[in-house]
Amino acid sequence: MRQSVCSAAEHGISRRRVLGTLAGTGAGLGLGALGGLVQPAVGEELKQKERQVVLLWLDGGMSQLESWDPKPNTRFGGPFRSIETLIPGVQISELMPNTAKLMDRLAIVRTMKTEDPNHSSGVPKILRGHPKNRGVVYPYFGSAVAKLMGPTSSGLPPYLWVKPGSGGFISKYAGFLGAKYGALALGDGQPPENMLPPETLSERNALERRDLQKLFNQRYAATHRREWNEANSYVYDVADKLMQHSKLFDESLLPDRDHERYGRHDFGRHTLLARNLVEAGVRFVQVTSYGWDSHGDNFNAHASRVPKVDQAFSALVSDLDDRGMLDNVLVVMMAEFGRTPRINGSVGRDHWPNAWSLAMAGCGIKAGQVVGKTLDDGTDVATEPYDIGHMFHTWYQALGVDSQKTEFMNGTQPLPIAHDEMEPVAELLA
Amino acid sequence: MKSASRIMLPALATLLLSVAFSNTSLATRNLARADEASRPAAPPLPEPAPRPPLHPRIDALIEARLNGVTVAPQSDDAEFLRRVYLDLAGRIPTAMEAREFLADSTPDKRERLVDGLLSGPEYPRRMRELFHAMLLERRGDNDEWTVFLRNAFEQNLPWHLIARAILKPDENDEQLRGAAFFMTQRLVSEGAMAPVDVPGLTRDVARLLAGIDLECAQCHNHLTISHYLQRDFQGLHMIFENVKTRNDLKFPAVSEGVLSEKKEFKSVFEQVAMKTGPLIPGGEEVSIPTFEKGQEYLVEPDRKARMPGVPKFSPLEELSERLASPQNDLFTRNIVNRLWWVMMGRGLVEPLDLHHADNPPSHPELLDLLASEFAASSFNIRWLVRELTLSKTYQRTTRLLYTSAAEQPHESYAIGLEKRLSPEQLFWSLITATGDLERHRQRLAKEGKASLNSEAVVEQTPDLKSLKRAMIDTFANPPKEPEVDFAPSVKGALFLMHEDQILRLLKPQTGNLIERATSQSDDDTVRELCLCVLTREPADDELATLTDYLKQNADRRDEAIANLTWALLTSTEFVVNH
């Protein structure tokens, strides 16, 4: 029953004003982008740079040995070989041939050493940057960035999450920041419920309704405290923005070539949508791939899955680069931990927070390098270990947020945005 | 407040108490409280004398702290009418109710309206919806729980008895046993990886019934609030650790185990072992009675019947009597602060669940007065709501009628504060405005179901029932989040813009607003729409603009009227209680 994705709001700017000058737009709410920050000055600079984030999350834990830190021909190495990358001396798994060709644009950290070997508690710990326990629930990375940087000038919601399964608004990710900084989840990349106007609502009627609504709202706002009308108007503005971009959700409009490059599997389709969402101006896009918990049959699982990640990840990084966006878009790919070097009785690998890898690109991250080294059999880090807190500091710095000075305010309680006993990894920052 | 003399329960309350607590457990209580055992049982006292009006004293205490802030004038009749219907009936007034009130020129019409609403059929529903959202925080619903809340507010059950029914549910009381849902719904496992959240239940009891958020005191003394101790948390927590959901009954019910030892706990910082017995928020530690082995039960557990048994010592009973007591300052202050927040838009203590010495109320004398008077009224909710409603403070306009008005601090109450509409208020107001509630009431009457109340109309009209469910899903906060702040959402905006169930209300149907409007002159149409939706007359320039819009679109008048109605129904003026 939906009409074509080209909706009324798409013509929002050039449209005929039903009520003439009476129906101007109200001031935006700005989503309190700087509301709770101790240092509002930081924010202004950020806004101009429009830095953005794509987080690719491999839920369950991708094996570092079958991806970023292969150990072929060792006790725990498994059946896959390693291949050379564009950077001499840097080798990654043969399951990632496309990524290997982009190594000059990537940084790999091989000495991640984190605390939690459980999915249920490890996922939130990593996604919150595992700060010191202060008795509050910290926001996930996307909610934190939504709070610290707000929406970009596009006006699109700042934190979108593309995932398999169902969608909806996931407020709990916002922790103490409050529900509005939660993630708008696009289940299987589908648009939010009710986004598309029904056939029975003509474009003309939709426009007139919004103009008349603005008329009433202006009258109300003229004699009442501003915040209430700003908040109520803001959600309609965001709804309009989403509708203006409704083509983003129509996969049939994309060239076949894109589908082939990213892959027609879920992770490919969702990463392709993520590219389009950052291009449209979403501040933070998270893409989740589930099912990496290969306690059994690890090698067949990775032989099937890693090439799909390789395909989508490399397509994303090269597209952002080709479009000149990689300078301002941070791409991170990680999970809650890696997998055990020891191969268990079911030819699987188990949970391994002790020495795992992640990768990042863009936004001033110093590329073409590997940070850290693990032992020859992969059982532990051989050089300085890094916690997720170090990464959060690094990523905030890359985004232009001074992670050691900026604080959240939880009521009257100032809280560091990243673990206050950790610091950025200097060699990752150009 | 502290010096308030011991308040005796009125006869009605005592009667209900004896239903709620069996004689046997009363005997146990005497055992448990050796210090009080010698005290003679208090004879039941007659109903307390009617209280002198509270509202002039409320206004005096608010004015005493204005510090030179200019006070906004009283609301005009239309503004007051809409507000008081929303607060006491949970919906906006109909056009007929509005016309009648606005045309009334008698001086006491506001008071009469308030009394009419408080004794009307919608007040208990409104209170039930309010307390359901406040106490359950959208964790789900249950028929027995609804029965409990319905009985509580239809009978104007005193607040301490409502709280006691929650804290020590009595499975033999069919009227109130559903109160157990407060606990059982919090003791539901949320999956294999998540243990049953007993600390969450502990926290909620302290937050919602005593106004203190002990979450941070679970593992150590609160770091920033020196008055919240780990012992407070652990002493309350051990009471709920001893509670289990009964699975031998078909309705929500709990049982208690034998509690015979103090609880040992350590701060994560100091690792020094400490001990506490059951501890009442705002009260004292309960001494644990000792029984000979084999003598712990009044009713032995029966494994075959899956009956959990009834221990002689009931920490829940101690909690229910000592927390829900006129002597407990935290208990009385919490509830008056919450009712004040409901009516005035801001708590005297904010946040609502952070009562402590370093977070004083904006008006300490007023909070004390409300608490002691409420206790002295034997926790009569309807009486307190009436007094709040009759105050000038409640009836001030929210309009900024002078230049510095917007800068007036919220906590001065110098100007009326806007309030969030609950999803339920939004639903009832929407179908009141569009005439659908009345239209279906009349349809059902024609089918032989005369004089149904509004809830029955919705219950028997699939479209409205489904709309109600959808609106609560769309506009409620996620589970476990208190609905305190105004939090419009994109989801809600898209729902009102595009959801078929909403758009259907904008089509002419026999007896609905759109149909009525289409048959009137442009002027009358605009007036009718404004009155039905916004409970006011259009301003002159507004009337001119809108009639002009209708004139220009005379060839598609139905559509224009639908557009106008949609805009009114989604305007800030409609979706906010002002």
Side-chain angles (χ1 to χ4, degrees), chain B residues 195-212:
Chain B
V196 170
D197 190 13
V198 182
L201 172 60
T202 306
R203 180 184 177 217
D204 282 353
V205 167
R207 276 177 57 229
L208 298 168
L209 299 178
I212 53 174

Side-chain angles (χ1 to χ4, degrees), chain A residues 38-275:
Chain A
V38 170
Q39 296 191 317
V42 181
E44 286 310 312
E45 195 187 321
L46 290 174
K47 271 189 180 166
Q48 292 158 7
K49 290 187 178 164
E50 299 284 36
R51 289 182 180 166
Q52 295 165 274
V53 182
V54 180
L55 170 62
L56 304 173
W57 179 261
L58 307 177
D59 198 273
M62 179 170 72
S63 167
Q64 69 282 6
L65 295 157
E66 275 72 54
S67 58
W68 304 117
D69 193 11
K71 306 279 183 187
N73 305 317
T74 65
R75 185 159 59 134
F76 300 130
F80 301 113
R81 292 173 300 180
S82 58
I83 52 172
E84 289 295 333
T85 66
L86 208 61
I87 302 298
V90 174
Q91 298 187 327
I92 61 174
S93 169
E94 65 170 330
L95 298 175
M96 306 181 89
N98 295 301
T99 304
K101 292 176 202 148
L102 290 173
M103 192 58 221
D104 60 333
R105 275 157 275 184
L106 308 180
I108 299 171
V109 180
R110 283 181 175 159
T111 46
M112 291 304 298
K113 191 177 181 70
T114 51
E115 275 180 20
D116 202 315
N118 301 306
H119 299 295
S120 58
S121 45
V123 171
K125 270 184 194 154
I126 298 298
L127 281 169
R128 290 180 181 131
H130 199 196
K132 261 201 296 197
N133 182 0
R134 283 185 165 75
V136 300
V137 179
Y138 259 75
Y140 278 18
F141 193 25
S143 294
V145 169
K147 170 74 179 179
L148 294 166
M149 302 174 77
T152 68
S153 58
S154 71
L156 282 164
Y159 180 15
L160 291 188
W161 177 24
V162 188
K163 63 186 282 289
S166 61
F169 190 78
I170 316 295
S171 59
K172 64 182 176 187
Y173 286 4
F176 70 81
L177 293 179
K180 68 178 170 178
Y181 296 103
L184 181 57
L186 308 173
D188 194 31
Q190 295 303 306
E193 209 179 342
N194 285 314
M195 190 191 78
L196 298 177
E199 278 171 16
T200 49
L201 179 62
S202 72
E203 178 177 337
R204 179 177 181 186
N205 284 331
L207 292 175
E208 291 184 10
R209 287 177 184 196
R210 296 281 280 110
D211 277 347
L212 288 160
Q213 182 197 41
K214 280 180 188 141
L215 190 70
F216 292 119
N217 285 353
Q218 282 171 346
R219 171 172 293 277
Y220 183 80
T223 52
H224 289 84
R225 292 183 197 264
R226 285 168 40 234
E227 305 90 274
W228 292 70
N229 184 54
E230 283 180 358
N232 190 45
S233 303
Y234 171 73
V235 295
Y236 284 89
D237 292 343
V238 174
D240 281 350
K241 289 287 175 197
L242 279 171
M243 289 163 61
Q244 280 171 30
H245 289 89
S246 54
K247 277 184 184 157
L248 285 171
F249 302 99
D250 190 344
E251 289 179 305
S252 69
L253 298 176
L254 293 169
D256 261 2
R257 206 178 60 88
D258 275 354
H259 289 300
E260 275 148 29
R261 286 171 51 247
Y262 282 79
R264 292 179 189 276
H265 40 81
D266 280 358
F267 191 68
R269 288 169 46 238
H270 296 165
T271 305
L272 176 55
L273 175 58
R275 182 202 73 185

Side-chain angles (χ1 to χ4, degrees), chain B residues 71-75 79 392 395-399 401-402 414 416:
Chain B
V71 177
Q74 295 288 283
S75 51
E79 188 183 4
K392 285 189 201 160
Q395 296 189 23
R396 282 200 242 290
T397 183
T398 59
R399 286 192 202 125
L401 295 178
Y402 55 97

Side-chain angles (χ1 to χ4, degrees), chain B residues 200-249:
Chain B
L201 172 60
T202 306
R203 180 184 177 217
D204 282 353
V205 167
R207 276 177 57 229
L208 298 168
L209 299 178
I212 53 174
D213 186 349
L214 296 177
E215 185 178 31
C216 298
Q218 182 178 349
C219 312
H220 49 74
N221 291 341
H222 199 290
L223 296 178
T224 54
I225 301 173
S226 56
H227 308 86
Y228 291 179
L229 303 179
Q230 189 182 9
R231 184 169 168 264
D232 297 334
F233 183 93
Q234 294 295 342
L236 182 59
H237 188 225
M238 70 184 294
I239 298 177
F240 296 108
E241 284 179 310
N242 194 41
V243 172
K244 288 211 160 41
T245 298
R246 283 183 68 164
N247 50 21
D248 59 324
L249 299 171

Side-chain angles (χ1 to χ4, degrees), chain B residues 123-161:
Chain B
Y123 167 78
R125 189 203 74 226
R126 152 71 177 151
M127 296 307 272
R128 172 158 54 80
E129 290 167 343
L130 171 71
F131 277 84
H132 170 65
M134 188 192 286
L135 294 172
L136 258 288
E137 296 183 334
R138 306 293 177 190
R139 280 173 168 81
D141 213 339
N142 177 284
D143 288 345
E144 291 271 348
W145 169 256
T146 306
V147 168
F148 155 66
L149 287 180
R150 176 174 292 137
N151 284 321
F153 292 104
E154 282 180 356
Q155 295 162 24
N156 194 32
L157 194 66
W159 170 247
H160 68 303
L161 298 187

Side-chain angles (χ1 to χ4, degrees), chain A residues 275-305:
Chain A
R275 182 202 73 185
N276 295 338
L277 290 171
V278 280
E279 208 172 9
V282 176
R283 179 70 75 186
F284 190 109
V285 184
Q286 179 176 334
V287 180
T288 293
S289 163
Y290 291 106
W292 288 87
D293 198 18
S294 50
H295 292 286
D297 201 16
N298 176 72
F299 302 105
N300 282 320
H302 278 74
S304 151
R305 289 175 154 270

